[in-house]
Amino acid sequence: MKLPNIAIKNYKLVLIAVALASLSGLSSYLTMKRSEDPLLSNPDYIITVVYPGTGPKDMEELVVDPIEEAIDELEDIKEINTTIEEGLATIMVKGVWGVDPDEQHDELIAEVNSMKPSLPEDIFQIEVTQVTPKQVSIMQLALTSETATYRHMHDYAEELEKQLEKVNGVKTVEIQAYPEQEVWVSLDFQKMANQNVPLSQVINTLRGNNAIVPGGNVKSGGRSFTVKTSGGYKTMEELASTVITSGDGKLVYLRDIAKVHLDCKDQQYYARFNGEKALFLSITQKDDVNILELTDAINTSIIDFQFQLPVELTLHQVFVQGPSVSQRIQGFVGNLGQGVALIGILVLIFLGVRSAAVIITVIPTSIIISIGMLNGTGFGLHQISIVGLVIALGLLVDNAIVVVDNITRFMQEGYSLRQAAAKGTSEVGNAVISSTITTVLSFMPLAIMDGAEGLFLRSLPLIVIFALITSLILALTFSPILSRYILKAPISGKKPSQIDRGIQRIISGPYRQMLNFGLRHPAITLVMAILTFIGGIALFPLVGVSLFPTADKPLYLVDIETPKGSNLDKTDAAARFVESVVDTMPGILSYATNVGHGNPQIYYNRLSKSYTRNYAQVLVNLDSYEEEQFYATLHQLRDAFTQYPEARITLSELKQGVPVEAPIAIKILGQDLETIKAIGKDLEALFKRTPGTINTYNPLSIDKTDIKVDINRDKAGLIGLSLYDIDLAVRTSLTGLVVDEMTMDNGDQFNIVARLSYDKQLTLGDFDKIYTTNITGDKVPLNQVAQLKFTRSNAQIDHYNTDRTVTITADVLDDYNIMVVTQHILDELDQYDFPEGYYYHVSGEYKAQQESFGNTGQSLLIALIAIFAVLVLQFKSFRQPMIVFSAIPLAFTGSIVTLFITGWTFSFFAFVGFTSLVGIVINTSIILIDYTNQLRDSGFSMVRAIKKAAETRFKPIVLTTLTTILGLLPLTLSSGDLWPPLGWTIIGGMISSTFLTLIIVPVLYKLFSSKQILEEEEVMAEV
C-alpha cells in the first residue's frame, strides 16, 4: 500500500488538512442544535371533529364514514384509527414512511376541506394536525389566581404571549384552558311565539344582516370612489337592534325576543396548578434552534414580565425541557470523556507513553471531525448521536492500535523510524481497510432503515460510520506521521516492560497450550463451541424480550376517565380526588390538572387528548428521579387511586420509542356492534384473569344513557310542522347554534350563538320552554309533538381501517414481561370460537415489537450479505468469509449470557447493540486470517503460519477488544434503562467472541483449507 509513504512524504499537507477539519468540527460542535431526542417529521395525522350534542351513531353516519371513505382512497395511507364519542370524533391517520409528511398533511387538509360542503353545516370544528415532536412543548407555564376573572387573567396571558413570540427561536405560544367568549343571543321562545317569529327567520335574518358584500367603485369626473356597505355587525347594540320582522305597523327587534350579551361559552376545559385556577401557556420551538440557548432567552423574558403582574396573579413553570436536555447531554458527554480517559490509561499501560500519545491524539481528532460531518447532514446533538459517539469511541482507536503496534514491531526488528512507519502501516493496511469497511457495512443498514425506528436511530449509525471512516484515514496517514516523530527506536539490549513480559507469558503459556490443543483436537474444540452456542440459545427465553424502556423522567401522568356521559363537574370531582392524594405524597414538587382535555404535549410520543367531558389528566412533577423511590411512589399512588370507585384512574411513567395505545392492546373487528361487544366482554375477562395485567379497559363495557327526542311524525304532519324545524329548535335550544361571526370595532372576533335562555345550567324542565312555528305561522309548544325518552346507546364506537372494532387494553405490572403476558393471552385467544366475519388484531407493544425487530432484522440480514460480499472480494474465497462469520454466533452467546447475569431483557436497543456487534467482532477474524494468508504467501507452512499469526496478533486483538469495552463501560454502568442493555450486549459479545475466536478461527482455518495443500506442506516439511 502506497498511501502511508505518500502521507509521510507530504506530511505538512496532511497536518494542515487534519487541523482544518478539526477546526471545522469544533465550530460545528459549538453551534449545532441540541435537543433531548431527534426531532422527526412523522407521517401521522389527527383529524378532530367537534360536533356538540351529536351521539356516536349519528357522528359515525353523518361525519366519520364520509371522511374515512375519502381518506382511504388516498395513496400512501397505512392505517386509519377512529374513536367516535358524543360530540367528538378523532381520526388518526398513519401514512407510509418515506413520503414527504408536509405534502401529505397538505393533501389531507385539501381532502377534508373538499368534504366540508357535504358534511353538516353546524359542525363546530374540523381540524387536521400533524403529529410530530416539533409540536412538543419545550416549556409549559401556568398563570394562576384564586380571585381574578378569566378575562383579567387572559389579558395578561395575551401580553405574555406577545412578549414570548418576540423571542428569537420561539415558534408558537398557545394559551389553553381559557373559556372563550361568545356573543349569546338567548332566545325567549315564548316571546317569539307571541310575535309569530319562527326560529329559522331569526337565524336567516342575522346571517343576512352580518354578510359583508363589497359595494364596488363609482367614477365621478377624474376620480374613483369606493362604495362601502354596512359591513356586518360592529357592536352589540347594532346586533340587538336588528329588525327581525314587522307587522301591523310595528317592528320586532332582536332585543324584543332575545337577550344579547357577551359571555363565556360553555366551559369544556378546566385547568389548575397546585389546586389554583390556571391558564396554561404552551411554548414550542422553531427548527434548527439550540434549545438550551432558547430556554435561557425565554427565562429572561419571563423574569421581565413577572414585574408587570399584579399581586393577585402568579406565573409558574409547569414543565421545562431545557434542563433535562442539558443534564442528558452533559451525562453522555461525561460518559464519552470517561471512556476516553479509560482507553488512554489502558493504551498507556500496554503500549507505553509514546505509543499512547499517538493513539490518544487520534481520539479527539476523530470525534471532532465526525461531529462536523454529522452537522453537515442536518442532525444535531442529542442522546442518540452522542451514544453513537460512545459506541464509536472504542472502534475508532482500533485501527490506530493495530497500526502503531505493527510499527513498533518493525522498529523492534531493526527498521528505521521512517521505514517502520511505512512498512508497518502498509502491511496491515488492507486488513484495516477491510475490517473498517465491514464494520461500516454493519451500521449502514441501520442508517438507511425506514420507519419511525430508522429515523429515530439514524444519527447513531451515521456518527459511527463517520468516526470509522475518519479513523481509517487518520490511521493510514496521520498515525504514521505522528509515529515517525513521536515514537523512539528501542534501545538495544533493553528488557521488555513488565506488561510486555506478562503478555508474552500468557501467549507462550496458557494461550499456546489451548491453541495447540485446538489444532490437535479440532472436533472436540468445535463441539465445545457448538454446545456453548446452543447453551446461549437455551438461555434466551429466560432473558426475555422487551421493547422500549422508561424515559427516566421525574414525572407521572395520571389519566382519569369517568363513565361515558358524565358531565364536566363529575370528572372534575374525580380530578380533585387525585389532587388530594397527590398533595399528601412526599417528594411531589408540583402538579398541573387538566379537566376535559389532556395536558399540553410535553413528550414526543404522548399525544394530548382533545376536548372530552369525561376525561382529565394530571401532570405530577417530582423533585428528583431516584428509581427505587420513583416506583415506590408510583405503587402508593396506584393503591390510593383504586379507592375511588366512580372513575378509572391510571398512572403511567413516560416511555421511550414509538407511541402505542397501551402495553397490551387487542382489537376485535366486525360489523355488528352487539356481537363485537359480546366478544369484547369475553376478551376483557381473559385479560383480567391473566397474571400480571392491571387497569384492564373495555370502552364498550358500559352503555351510555341518552335522552331521545321522540317526535310524533303523524301529529307534526297534521299541524304542518316540518321535522327540520323541530330538529333546528332542539339543536338551538339545548346545544346552541353558531349563526355567524362578528368583528367588533376594536378588531375582536366573536361567534354569534343562538340558544335558549336559561340560568347557569340547562335542565330537563327547560324542554318545556321550546316553541316552534308551523307553515301557517301558528306557535306550537314542542312538548305537544315530541317527548323526551331515556334510551341506552353505545358510549363509544371505534373504527380500524374503516371497520368497526373494540380495543381491549391493559397495563402490565413492573415485575412481569409484557411480551410473555401478551403471548399467554394470544395462546388462549387462538382457542376462541369467533363468529364468521369477526377476528382479532394485535396492537400495543407486541405489534410495535414485531415491526421494530422486523425492520432491524432486515437491516442485519442486508449487512451480513454486504459484508460477506466484501470478504469474498478480499480473500478471493468463499471458505474464509465463512470462517470470519464464525465470530457472530460466538458473540451472540456472550451477549445473552451477559444480559442474563446483569438482569436485562433483550430490548430493541439490545438488538441494535447486537446489529452493531456483528461488524465489530468479525474484525478480529479478519486481522487474524489476513496475516495468516500473508505468512503462507511468504512460505510459512499451514500450522506454523496459523500459530505465528495467532500469537503475533494476540496483543492488538485483546487490546482493541479492551478499548471497545472500556469505551462503552461508563455508558453501560450509567443509570436508566435505555442504554445499559445495548452496552452489555456489545461488551458480552466482545468478550466471548474474542476469547473463542482466538481458538476457533485458527481451528476452522486449518479445517477449511484444501486437503491437497496440507499434503503438499507435509511433504515439504519432511524434506
Side-chain angles (χ1 to χ4, degrees):
M1 176 176 283
K2 297 180 180 180
L3 184 59
N5 281 314
I6 296 173
I8 292 172
K9 290 179 181 177
N10 300 278
Y11 70 94
K12 290 183 179 179
L13 291 176
V14 173
L15 294 177
I16 292 172
V18 171
L20 291 175
S22 300
L23 289 173
S24 175
L26 183 61
S27 175
S28 297
Y29 172 76
L30 296 174
T31 59
M32 69 195 303
K33 61 185 178 184
R34 287 161 169 78
S35 61
E36 185 170 10
D37 296 291
L39 300 178
L40 309 180
S41 293
N42 301 355
D44 297 335
Y45 317 90
I46 297 178
I47 302 173
T48 305
V49 184
V50 181
Y51 193 7
T54 308
K57 283 192 175 180
D58 289 338
M59 180 75 83
E60 179 186 41
E61 181 180 350
L62 298 174
V63 178
V64 171
D65 286 344
I67 293 178
E68 284 186 341
E69 185 178 349
I71 294 172
D72 197 37
E73 293 176 356
L74 297 177
E75 294 183 358
D76 301 320
I77 299 298
K78 178 182 177 183
E79 191 174 286
I80 304 173
N81 287 282
T82 304
T83 300
I84 310 166
E85 301 173 276
E86 182 184 353
L88 176 69
T90 305
I91 305 172
M92 302 191 68
V93 182
K94 290 182 177 293
V96 176
W97 287 92
V99 177
D100 188 324
D102 295 327
E103 289 184 6
Q104 196 167 50
H105 184 213
D106 293 339
E107 186 179 7
L108 275 173
I109 292 174
E111 189 67 28
V112 171
N113 286 339
S114 69
M115 289 288 302
K116 285 183 179 179
S118 62
L119 300 176
E121 293 182 2
D122 52 347
I123 288 177
F124 175 72
Q125 178 186 10
I126 301 181
E127 185 179 24
V128 183
T129 56
Q130 182 181 352
V131 179
T132 168
K134 297 176 184 178
Q135 294 176 336
V136 173
S137 301
I138 63 166
M139 187 179 293
Q140 180 183 343
L141 305 175
L143 188 63
T144 64
S145 176
E146 283 297 322
T147 58
T149 64
Y150 274 115
R151 181 67 186 176
H152 186 57
M153 295 171 67
H154 189 259
D155 288 341
Y156 280 93
E158 279 189 323
E159 187 62 35
L160 177 58
E161 178 186 24
K162 294 175 184 176
Q163 193 165 315
L164 292 175
E165 284 176 341
K166 295 177 183 177
V167 176
N168 186 31
V170 169
K171 183 179 181 181
T172 61
V173 181
E174 183 180 358
I175 300 173
Q176 295 178 305
Y178 172 65
E180 296 181 9
Q181 291 190 307
E182 300 173 327
V183 175
W184 281 13
V185 177
S186 300
L187 298 167
D188 189 322
F189 278 77
Q190 180 66 54
K191 289 182 179 180
M192 290 169 58
N194 293 337
Q195 299 286 350
N196 292 322
V197 178
L199 175 60
S200 57
Q201 184 174 342
V202 176
I203 294 171
N204 292 333
T205 301
L206 294 180
R207 286 175 176 168
N209 286 2
N210 195 48
I212 299 175
V213 181
N217 295 318
V218 174
K219 294 181 180 179
S220 178
R223 301 185 64 185
S224 177
F225 299 92
T226 300
V227 179
K228 291 188 176 181
T229 60
S230 59
Y233 297 118
K234 298 296 182 184
T235 64
M236 303 284 287
E237 180 58 31
E238 285 183 16
L239 178 61
S241 301
T242 302
V243 177
I244 301 299
T245 187
S246 61
D248 299 328
K250 181 183 177 182
L251 297 177
V252 178
Y253 297 96
L254 181 62
R255 60 172 171 264
D256 295 331
I257 58 172
K259 179 183 177 183
V260 179
H261 59 109
L262 197 65
D263 208 331
C264 292
K265 72 179 183 181
D266 294 337
Q267 196 160 355
Q268 297 177 297
Y269 182 7
Y270 297 149
R272 289 186 294 275
F273 180 73
N274 289 344
E276 284 191 328
K277 179 175 65 176
L279 295 182
F280 292 143
L281 289 93
S282 183
I283 306 169
T284 62
Q285 70 178 49
K286 293 179 180 177
D287 295 343
D288 302 324
V289 173
N290 187 325
I291 189 175
L292 304 182
E293 296 176 357
L294 177 58
T295 301
D296 291 340
I298 292 174
N299 286 334
T300 300
S301 184
I302 289 173
I303 292 171
D304 294 339
F305 177 78
Q306 285 178 320
F307 290 109
Q308 306 172 27
L309 286 175
V311 292
E312 67 269 19
L313 296 179
T314 310
L315 187 64
H316 307 269
Q317 286 187 335
V318 181
F319 171 82
V320 187
Q321 191 184 104
S324 175
V325 174
S326 176
Q327 180 181 7
R328 190 157 297 227
I329 290 179
Q330 287 176 4
F332 286 127
V333 171
N335 291 335
L336 186 64
Q338 293 165 6
V340 172
L342 289 173
I343 290 174
I345 293 171
L346 180 72
V347 173
L348 184 65
I349 292 173
F350 274 82
L351 298 180
V353 176
R354 294 180 178 273
S355 295
V358 175
I359 294 168
I360 293 172
T361 303
V362 173
I363 297 176
T365 306
S366 298
I367 289 174
I368 290 298
I369 295 174
S370 301
I371 288 175
M373 296 170 72
L374 183 70
N375 186 51
T377 62
F379 289 93
L381 277 181
H382 41 68
Q383 63 169 335
I384 304 297
S385 56
I386 298 177
V387 166
L389 278 176
V390 175
I391 294 174
L393 178 61
L395 304 178
L396 60 86
V397 296
D398 288 356
N399 292 334
I401 288 174
V402 172
V403 168
V404 172
D405 179 76
N406 214 42
I407 291 172
T408 303
R409 185 171 64 83
F410 273 93
M411 289 169 54
Q412 291 171 347
E413 292 177 1
Y415 289 88
S416 66
L417 286 173
R418 176 165 181 165
Q419 289 175 326
K423 287 185 67 65
T425 306
S426 299
E427 184 182 77
V428 296
N430 289 331
V432 166
I433 291 173
S434 180
S435 63
T436 301
I437 290 175
T438 55
T439 309
V440 166
L441 287 175
S442 71
F443 283 94
M444 186 63 74
L446 283 176
I448 60 176
M449 187 170 70
D450 290 330
E453 302 84 3
L455 289 178
F456 187 78
L457 287 173
R458 186 154 295 169
S459 59
L460 186 151
L462 282 179
I463 194 73
V464 174
I465 290 170
F466 294 151
L468 289 171
I469 293 172
T470 302
S471 70
L472 173 63
I473 295 172
L474 293 178
L476 298 179
T477 58
F478 188 54
S479 294
I481 294 171
L482 292 179
S483 298
R484 179 186 175 188
Y485 294 100
I486 293 178
L487 297 184
K488 191 175 181 181
I491 300 174
S492 179
K494 183 181 178 181
K495 293 183 179 180
S497 68
Q498 196 170 4
I499 295 293
D500 286 336
R501 291 199 301 271
I503 293 173
Q504 193 56 48
R505 279 197 296 270
I506 293 173
I507 294 173
S508 58
Y511 176 60
R512 184 175 293 172
Q513 292 173 6
M514 287 188 292
L515 182 60
N516 288 335
F517 177 86
L519 293 174
R520 286 196 303 268
H521 307 283
I524 296 175
T525 305
L526 292 180
V527 168
M528 292 175 62
I530 293 171
L531 290 176
T532 302
F533 176 62
I534 294 173
I537 294 177
L539 202 59
F540 186 78
L542 299 178
V543 171
V545 179
S546 62
L547 190 57
F548 293 105
T550 57
D552 302 330
K553 289 185 175 295
L555 59 86
Y556 307 110
L557 283 172
V558 184
D559 293 294
I560 304 162
E561 289 186 72
T562 52
K564 300 292 184 181
S566 300
N567 58 32
L568 206 61
D569 291 337
K570 183 169 184 177
T571 306
D572 187 43
R576 288 188 182 277
F577 168 76
V578 170
E579 290 175 332
S580 68
V581 173
V582 170
D583 261 336
T584 64
M585 299 297 295
I588 303 296
L589 182 65
S590 65
Y591 55 90
T593 307
N594 305 261
V595 183
H597 199 281
N599 192 76
Q601 188 178 357
I602 59 168
Y603 198 59
Y604 70 93
N605 64 9
R606 286 296 295 260
L607 306 181
S608 178
K609 196 167 184 177
S610 298
Y611 298 100
T612 307
R613 287 180 301 181
N614 72 315
Y615 176 77
Q617 189 175 61
V618 181
L619 168 65
V620 181
N621 290 304
L622 308 180
D623 52 16
S624 62
Y625 181 85
E626 295 179 3
E627 186 171 352
E628 186 175 344
Q629 182 61 38
F630 180 87
Y631 284 101
T633 304
L634 184 146
H635 290 307
Q636 285 181 286
L637 287 171
R638 279 179 176 163
D639 291 341
F641 293 156
T642 58
Q643 300 174 13
Y644 193 83
E646 298 183 30
R648 178 176 179 263
I649 304 174
T650 57
L651 187 147
S652 60
E653 65 272 49
L654 298 180
K655 282 195 170 186
Q656 297 279 358
V658 295
V660 294
E661 295 168 279
I664 302 178
I666 297 178
K667 299 178 185 293
I668 304 298
L669 292 98
Q671 284 303 316
D672 181 65
L673 279 175
E674 293 304 316
T675 305
I676 292 174
K677 187 187 298 185
I679 301 173
K681 188 175 181 180
D682 293 340
L683 181 57
E684 179 186 2
L686 171 58
F687 270 46
K688 288 182 176 179
R689 69 172 180 263
T690 300
T693 60
I694 56 171
N695 301 327
T696 299
Y697 179 58
N698 177 6
L700 297 184
S701 61
I702 301 177
D703 286 336
K704 177 169 138 314
T705 301
D706 288 334
I707 298 176
K708 180 181 179 182
V709 180
D710 188 18
I711 302 171
N712 188 324
R713 294 172 180 259
D714 293 337
K715 196 172 183 179
L718 285 173
I719 61 177
L721 195 60
S722 71
L723 296 179
Y724 172 77
D725 287 333
I726 295 174
D727 289 341
L728 184 64
V730 172
R731 174 76 182 182
T732 304
S733 305
L734 303 183
T735 306
L737 180 68
V738 178
V739 175
D740 212 336
E741 185 179 73
M742 64 180 290
T743 303
M744 300 290 195
D745 286 330
N746 61 1
D748 291 341
Q749 293 182 327
F750 301 99
N751 285 332
I752 302 172
V753 180
R755 57 189 300 151
L756 179 68
S757 179
Y758 55 82
D759 296 329
K760 293 185 180 179
Q761 191 170 3
L762 187 69
T763 64
L764 293 177
D766 289 312
F767 182 80
D768 295 331
K769 299 177 182 179
I770 304 173
Y771 284 76
T772 187
T773 307
N774 63 13
I775 56 177
T776 61
D778 296 328
K779 62 180 181 180
V780 181
L782 189 61
N783 58 17
Q784 287 190 6
V785 295
Q787 58 180 332
L788 299 182
K789 287 186 177 180
F790 290 95
T791 61
R792 297 182 71 82
S793 66
N794 294 298
Q796 177 177 317
I797 300 175
D798 293 337
H799 286 188
Y800 176 72
N801 289 339
T802 73
D803 288 333
R804 281 177 170 175
T805 184
V806 61
T807 304
I808 314 300
T809 61
D811 295 327
V812 175
L813 291 170
D814 301 329
D815 298 335
Y816 286 79
N817 185 284
I818 294 173
M819 300 305 150
V820 173
V821 176
T822 305
Q823 190 59 55
H824 177 79
I825 293 173
L826 293 180
D827 291 341
E828 288 204 34
L829 197 56
D830 286 336
Q831 308 301 318
Y832 187 85
D833 185 18
F834 281 91
E836 187 177 352
Y838 295 82
Y839 58 98
Y840 74 87
H841 173 80
V842 185
S843 189
E845 288 202 16
Y846 189 92
K847 177 184 176 184
Q849 185 207 70
Q850 301 302 310
E851 293 179 349
S852 300
F853 280 67
N855 289 338
T856 313
Q858 290 177 4
S859 300
L860 178 60
L861 181 61
I862 293 170
L864 291 174
I865 293 172
I867 291 170
F868 190 82
V870 170
L871 294 177
V872 169
L873 291 175
Q874 179 189 356
F875 295 120
K876 297 179 178 58
S877 164
F878 284 98
R879 292 182 178 183
Q880 291 190 352
M882 295 299 296
I883 300 173
V884 172
F885 270 40
S886 67
I888 297 174
L890 302 178
F892 178 77
T893 301
S895 296
I896 297 304
V897 170
T898 306
L899 289 174
F900 177 76
I901 293 172
T902 55
W904 295 102
T905 58
F906 195 73
S907 67
F908 173 75
F909 283 98
F911 198 174
V912 172
F914 182 71
T915 304
S916 308
L917 184 64
V918 166
I920 300 172
V921 297
I922 63 175
N923 290 346
T924 302
S925 302
I926 292 173
I927 292 171
L928 205 54
I929 293 174
D930 181 77
Y931 190 46
T932 306
N933 289 341
Q934 290 184 37
L935 292 175
R936 290 183 63 195
D937 291 341
S938 64
F940 279 70
S941 67
M942 169 74 71
V943 174
R944 187 182 170 197
I946 290 174
K947 290 182 178 180
K948 181 172 177 58
E951 294 182 5
T952 303
R953 294 291 182 245
F954 180 89
K955 180 179 177 182
I957 286 172
V958 171
L959 192 54
T960 54
T961 299
L962 289 176
T963 56
T964 302
I965 292 172
L966 289 179
L968 278 170
L969 200 57
L971 176 70
T972 306
L973 297 177
S974 64
S975 60
D977 298 334
L978 186 61
W979 300 113
L982 180 146
W984 286 121
T985 298
I986 297 178
I987 289 174
M990 289 292 295
I991 292 172
S992 65
S993 67
T994 300
F995 176 75
L996 294 174
T997 297
L998 285 169
I999 304 297
I1000 300 300
V1001 168
V1003 172
L1004 291 176
Y1005 189 97
K1006 179 181 177 182
L1007 290 177
F1008 277 29
S1009 295
S1010 169
K1011 184 179 179 181
Q1012 181 181 354
I1013 295 177
L1014 285 172
E1015 291 174 352
E1016 291 177 356
E1017 289 181 350
E1018 288 173 1
V1019 172
M1020 292 296 295
E1022 291 175 1
V1023 173

